[in-house]
Amino acid sequence: TLFGILVIQIKPQLEKVLNLPENSLTKEIKLAQDVTQLFLKYHIPSDLLSFDSQGMEIVGGASTAERLEVVRSHVAAMQAMIEEAKKEEVEERRLQAAYAAPLAVPGPAPPVEDFLEEA
């Protein structure tokens, strides 16, 4: 019987994919977890989260803090979009349940405008 363990360091690879300097994610545990979750759970492409240096070369390049802030803002935007999509899906399911059994679902009735828009 052969048993093996393989250890893959993810942070250095995340830093390369996100165009960040080496060891910049060492103290950014939450950011690294959020990026990993977006990659694995939601299959967000790395180019939507990575630092893009366009326009920064002229000024002398971006510091590590600026690069991290750009990546952090991209991650926050993606998380906000996902959260909004979840809320819309929950509301859509609630409306579907209300229309399927109008007397069985507790809560406020849908606005009259919803019915008028469909007509």
Side-chain angles (χ1 to χ4, degrees):
T1 305
L2 179 64
F3 181 75
I5 296 177
L6 175 65
V7 177
I8 299 175
Q9 294 183 354
I10 293 181
K11 282 188 185 179
Q13 299 307 316
L14 279 178
E15 291 166 349
K16 287 180 184 178
V17 167
L18 297 174
N19 296 327
L20 295 172
E22 288 185 23
N23 299 323
S24 58
L25 287 177
T26 302
K27 294 184 179 180
E28 301 291 334
I29 297 169
K30 176 75 171 132
L31 180 60
Q33 288 174 344
D34 290 343
V35 168
T36 304
Q37 180 186 32
L38 288 173
F39 285 156
L40 298 177
K41 186 174 182 181
Y42 298 107
H43 304 285
I44 303 293
S46 62
D47 61 334
L48 294 178
L49 301 175
S50 65
F51 172 76
D52 185 16
S53 62
Q54 288 182 341
M56 293 287 189
E57 303 90 16
I58 300 171
V59 203
S63 70
T64 302
E66 291 171 332
R67 289 173 179 248
L68 283 170
E69 194 54 43
V70 168
V71 171
R72 193 176 286 116
S73 69
H74 291 318
V75 168
M78 285 296 134
Q79 288 176 330
M81 182 188 71
I82 290 169
E83 200 59 39
E84 181 67 27
K86 285 180 181 180
K87 288 179 184 177
E88 289 175 4
E89 186 175 344
V90 166
E91 182 63 20
E92 183 179 324
R93 298 284 175 121
R94 188 189 69 76
L95 288 175
Q96 285 176 354
Y99 290 137
L103 299 177
V105 178
V112 175
E113 293 82 19
D114 287 351
F115 296 108
L116 296 176
E117 289 176 2
E118 293 178 11

